[in-house]
Short mmCIF file of all heavy atoms in Angstrom, two decimals:
data_model
loop_
_atom_site.label_atom_id
_atom_site.label_comp_id
_atom_site.label_asym_id
_atom_site.label_seq_id
_atom_site.Cartn_x
_atom_site.Cartn_y
_atom_site.Cartn_z
N TYR A 753 10.09 -0.05 0.56
CA TYR A 753 8.91 -0.50 -0.17
C TYR A 753 7.64 0.04 0.50
O TYR A 753 7.48 -0.11 1.71
CB TYR A 753 8.84 -2.03 -0.21
CG TYR A 753 7.62 -2.55 -0.97
CD1 TYR A 753 7.57 -2.49 -2.36
CD2 TYR A 753 6.50 -3.05 -0.31
CE1 TYR A 753 6.46 -2.95 -3.07
CE2 TYR A 753 5.38 -3.51 -1.00
CZ TYR A 753 5.39 -3.44 -2.39
OH TYR A 753 4.28 -3.88 -3.07
N ASP A 754 6.78 0.67 -0.29
CA ASP A 754 5.57 1.23 0.29
C ASP A 754 4.33 0.82 -0.52
O ASP A 754 3.28 1.49 -0.48
CB ASP A 754 5.64 2.76 0.38
CG ASP A 754 5.89 3.43 -0.98
OD1 ASP A 754 5.93 2.70 -2.00
OD2 ASP A 754 6.04 4.66 -1.00
N GLY A 755 4.41 -0.28 -1.26
CA GLY A 755 3.32 -0.75 -2.05
C GLY A 755 2.33 -1.64 -1.26
O GLY A 755 2.43 -1.77 -0.03
N LEU A 756 1.42 -2.27 -1.99
CA LEU A 756 0.36 -3.08 -1.38
C LEU A 756 0.66 -4.56 -1.38
O LEU A 756 -0.18 -5.35 -0.97
CB LEU A 756 -0.97 -2.83 -2.10
CG LEU A 756 -1.49 -1.39 -2.08
CD1 LEU A 756 -2.77 -1.27 -2.91
CD2 LEU A 756 -1.73 -0.91 -0.65
N GLY A 757 1.86 -4.93 -1.83
CA GLY A 757 2.21 -6.35 -1.91
C GLY A 757 1.72 -7.00 -3.19
O GLY A 757 1.03 -6.38 -4.01
N ASP A 758 2.12 -8.26 -3.38
CA ASP A 758 1.83 -8.96 -4.62
C ASP A 758 1.01 -10.24 -4.41
O ASP A 758 0.13 -10.54 -5.23
CB ASP A 758 3.13 -9.36 -5.33
CG ASP A 758 3.95 -8.18 -5.74
OD1 ASP A 758 3.38 -7.21 -6.26
OD2 ASP A 758 5.19 -8.21 -5.54
N PHE A 759 1.32 -11.00 -3.34
CA PHE A 759 0.78 -12.35 -3.25
C PHE A 759 0.32 -12.71 -1.83
O PHE A 759 0.85 -12.17 -0.83
CB PHE A 759 1.86 -13.38 -3.62
CG PHE A 759 2.36 -13.30 -5.02
CD1 PHE A 759 3.59 -12.72 -5.30
CD2 PHE A 759 1.59 -13.83 -6.06
CE1 PHE A 759 4.06 -12.66 -6.63
CE2 PHE A 759 2.05 -13.74 -7.38
CZ PHE A 759 3.28 -13.17 -7.64
N THR A 760 -0.62 -13.61 -1.79
CA THR A 760 -0.91 -14.39 -0.58
C THR A 760 -0.35 -15.80 -0.83
O THR A 760 -0.20 -16.24 -1.97
CB THR A 760 -2.40 -14.44 -0.26
OG1 THR A 760 -3.09 -15.03 -1.39
CG2 THR A 760 -2.96 -13.04 -0.02
N MET A 761 -0.11 -16.53 0.24
CA MET A 761 0.52 -17.83 0.16
C MET A 761 -0.19 -18.82 1.10
O MET A 761 -0.40 -18.50 2.27
CB MET A 761 2.01 -17.72 0.51
CG MET A 761 2.79 -19.01 0.41
SD MET A 761 4.61 -18.75 0.37
CE MET A 761 4.87 -17.78 1.87
N ASP A 762 -0.56 -19.99 0.60
CA ASP A 762 -1.21 -20.97 1.47
C ASP A 762 -0.15 -21.79 2.22
O ASP A 762 1.06 -21.54 2.08
CB ASP A 762 -2.18 -21.85 0.69
CG ASP A 762 -1.51 -22.85 -0.25
OD1 ASP A 762 -0.29 -23.07 -0.16
OD2 ASP A 762 -2.20 -23.42 -1.12
N ASP A 763 -0.60 -22.74 3.02
CA ASP A 763 0.37 -23.43 3.89
C ASP A 763 1.24 -24.41 3.13
O ASP A 763 2.18 -25.00 3.71
CB ASP A 763 -0.35 -24.15 5.04
CG ASP A 763 -1.38 -25.17 4.59
OD1 ASP A 763 -1.49 -25.39 3.36
OD2 ASP A 763 -2.05 -25.76 5.45
N THR A 764 0.99 -24.62 1.82
CA THR A 764 1.91 -25.42 1.01
C THR A 764 2.90 -24.56 0.24
O THR A 764 3.80 -25.07 -0.44
CB THR A 764 1.14 -26.29 0.00
OG1 THR A 764 0.61 -25.45 -1.02
CG2 THR A 764 0.04 -27.07 0.67
N GLY A 765 2.71 -23.22 0.33
CA GLY A 765 3.56 -22.31 -0.43
C GLY A 765 3.00 -21.91 -1.76
O GLY A 765 3.61 -21.10 -2.48
N ARG A 766 1.83 -22.43 -2.14
CA ARG A 766 1.22 -22.07 -3.42
C ARG A 766 0.70 -20.63 -3.34
O ARG A 766 0.14 -20.21 -2.32
CB ARG A 766 0.11 -23.06 -3.75
CG ARG A 766 -0.36 -23.00 -5.19
CD ARG A 766 -1.32 -24.15 -5.51
NE ARG A 766 -0.60 -25.33 -6.00
CZ ARG A 766 -0.54 -26.47 -5.35
NH1 ARG A 766 -1.10 -26.61 -4.16
NH2 ARG A 766 0.12 -27.48 -5.89
N LEU A 767 0.88 -19.89 -4.45
CA LEU A 767 0.61 -18.45 -4.42
C LEU A 767 -0.71 -18.09 -5.10
O LEU A 767 -1.17 -18.75 -6.02
CB LEU A 767 1.74 -17.70 -5.11
CG LEU A 767 3.13 -17.84 -4.50
CD1 LEU A 767 4.13 -16.98 -5.27
CD2 LEU A 767 3.12 -17.46 -3.03
N SER A 768 -1.31 -16.97 -4.61
CA SER A 768 -2.45 -16.33 -5.24
C SER A 768 -2.16 -14.82 -5.34
O SER A 768 -1.45 -14.26 -4.48
CB SER A 768 -3.72 -16.54 -4.42
OG SER A 768 -4.03 -17.91 -4.30
N ARG A 769 -2.69 -14.18 -6.35
CA ARG A 769 -2.50 -12.74 -6.50
C ARG A 769 -3.27 -11.94 -5.46
O ARG A 769 -4.31 -12.37 -4.95
CB ARG A 769 -2.95 -12.30 -7.89
CG ARG A 769 -2.00 -12.67 -9.00
CD ARG A 769 -0.78 -11.81 -9.04
NE ARG A 769 0.05 -12.08 -10.23
CZ ARG A 769 1.23 -11.51 -10.42
NH1 ARG A 769 1.70 -10.65 -9.54
NH2 ARG A 769 1.94 -11.82 -11.47
N ARG A 770 -2.75 -10.76 -5.16
CA ARG A 770 -3.43 -9.85 -4.23
C ARG A 770 -4.80 -9.47 -4.77
O ARG A 770 -4.96 -9.17 -5.95
CB ARG A 770 -2.57 -8.60 -4.08
CG ARG A 770 -3.19 -7.49 -3.22
CD ARG A 770 -2.27 -6.29 -3.11
NE ARG A 770 -2.00 -5.67 -4.40
CZ ARG A 770 -2.78 -4.78 -4.99
NH1 ARG A 770 -3.94 -4.41 -4.40
NH2 ARG A 770 -2.48 -4.24 -6.15
N ALA A 771 -5.78 -9.48 -3.90
CA ALA A 771 -7.12 -9.06 -4.30
C ALA A 771 -7.15 -7.55 -4.46
O ALA A 771 -6.41 -6.81 -3.78
CB ALA A 771 -8.14 -9.49 -3.23
N GLU A 772 -8.01 -7.08 -5.36
CA GLU A 772 -8.10 -5.65 -5.62
C GLU A 772 -8.51 -4.90 -4.36
O GLU A 772 -9.35 -5.34 -3.59
CB GLU A 772 -9.15 -5.41 -6.73
CG GLU A 772 -9.15 -4.00 -7.26
CD GLU A 772 -10.08 -3.82 -8.44
OE1 GLU A 772 -10.66 -4.83 -8.91
OE2 GLU A 772 -10.24 -2.67 -8.88
N ARG A 773 -7.83 -3.74 -4.16
CA ARG A 773 -8.05 -2.87 -3.02
C ARG A 773 -7.73 -3.54 -1.67
O ARG A 773 -8.21 -3.12 -0.62
CB ARG A 773 -9.50 -2.33 -3.00
CG ARG A 773 -9.83 -1.44 -4.20
CD ARG A 773 -11.17 -0.75 -4.04
NE ARG A 773 -12.26 -1.72 -3.99
CZ ARG A 773 -12.85 -2.25 -5.08
NH1 ARG A 773 -12.44 -1.88 -6.28
NH2 ARG A 773 -13.83 -3.11 -4.95
N ARG A 774 -6.91 -4.57 -1.70
CA ARG A 774 -6.45 -5.23 -0.48
C ARG A 774 -4.93 -5.13 -0.39
O ARG A 774 -4.25 -4.93 -1.40
CB ARG A 774 -6.86 -6.70 -0.49
CG ARG A 774 -8.37 -6.92 -0.50
CD ARG A 774 -8.99 -6.58 0.84
NE ARG A 774 -10.43 -6.86 0.85
CZ ARG A 774 -10.95 -8.04 1.17
NH1 ARG A 774 -10.16 -9.04 1.51
NH2 ARG A 774 -12.28 -8.21 1.20
N VAL A 775 -4.41 -5.32 0.82
CA VAL A 775 -2.98 -5.40 1.02
C VAL A 775 -2.63 -6.90 1.13
O VAL A 775 -3.26 -7.64 1.90
CB VAL A 775 -2.54 -4.66 2.29
CG1 VAL A 775 -1.06 -4.87 2.56
CG2 VAL A 775 -2.84 -3.17 2.16
N ALA A 776 -1.66 -7.33 0.35
CA ALA A 776 -1.23 -8.73 0.41
C ALA A 776 -0.04 -8.82 1.35
O ALA A 776 0.77 -7.87 1.47
CB ALA A 776 -0.84 -9.22 -0.98
N PRO A 777 0.18 -9.96 2.00
CA PRO A 777 1.24 -10.06 3.01
C PRO A 777 2.64 -10.18 2.41
O PRO A 777 3.62 -9.89 3.11
CB PRO A 777 0.91 -11.35 3.78
CG PRO A 777 0.03 -12.14 2.85
CD PRO A 777 -0.71 -11.14 2.03
N PHE A 778 2.74 -10.53 1.12
CA PHE A 778 4.07 -10.78 0.55
C PHE A 778 4.27 -10.00 -0.75
O PHE A 778 3.35 -9.83 -1.55
CB PHE A 778 4.28 -12.26 0.26
CG PHE A 778 4.26 -13.11 1.52
CD1 PHE A 778 3.19 -13.91 1.81
CD2 PHE A 778 5.31 -13.07 2.42
CE1 PHE A 778 3.14 -14.69 2.94
CE2 PHE A 778 5.29 -13.83 3.58
CZ PHE A 778 4.19 -14.64 3.84
N VAL A 779 5.53 -9.58 -0.96
CA VAL A 779 5.92 -8.89 -2.20
C VAL A 779 7.06 -9.68 -2.84
O VAL A 779 7.94 -10.22 -2.13
CB VAL A 779 6.33 -7.44 -1.90
CG1 VAL A 779 7.44 -7.33 -0.86
CG2 VAL A 779 6.74 -6.71 -3.18
N TYR A 780 7.04 -9.79 -4.13
CA TYR A 780 8.10 -10.47 -4.88
C TYR A 780 9.38 -9.66 -4.77
O TYR A 780 9.42 -8.48 -5.06
CB TYR A 780 7.69 -10.66 -6.34
CG TYR A 780 8.75 -11.21 -7.23
CD1 TYR A 780 9.47 -12.35 -6.88
CD2 TYR A 780 9.03 -10.61 -8.45
CE1 TYR A 780 10.45 -12.85 -7.73
CE2 TYR A 780 9.98 -11.13 -9.32
CZ TYR A 780 10.69 -12.25 -8.93
OH TYR A 780 11.67 -12.75 -9.78
N SER A 781 10.46 -10.31 -4.36
CA SER A 781 11.71 -9.60 -4.07
C SER A 781 12.65 -9.50 -5.28
O SER A 781 13.70 -8.87 -5.17
CB SER A 781 12.47 -10.33 -2.95
OG SER A 781 13.00 -11.56 -3.42
N GLY A 782 12.26 -10.10 -6.41
CA GLY A 782 13.13 -10.04 -7.56
C GLY A 782 14.15 -11.14 -7.64
O GLY A 782 15.16 -11.03 -8.35
N ALA A 783 13.93 -12.24 -6.92
CA ALA A 783 14.80 -13.42 -7.01
C ALA A 783 13.92 -14.65 -7.05
O ALA A 783 12.85 -14.70 -6.41
CB ALA A 783 15.76 -13.49 -5.81
N ALA A 784 14.34 -15.67 -7.81
CA ALA A 784 13.51 -16.84 -8.00
C ALA A 784 14.32 -18.00 -8.56
O ALA A 784 15.49 -17.82 -8.99
CB ALA A 784 12.38 -16.51 -8.99
#
């Protein structure tokens, strides 16, 4: 994987989308 990631996550696990032109710490792995 060489992308910029998809989400940031707060300490409860709630997700937010990656901000434009930023790298997000987490990428969706295709399982849920």
Side-chain angles (χ1 to χ4, degrees):
Y753 180 75
D754 58 3
L756 299 177
D758 298 316
F759 297 103
T760 58
M761 181 164 55
D762 71 14
D763 59 3
T764 72
R766 194 172 270 114
L767 299 182
S768 300
R769 285 285 186 185
R770 175 180 63 83
E772 191 174 355
R773 296 189 296 276
R774 298 287 183 89
V775 175
F778 297 107
V779 56
Y780 174 49
S781 71

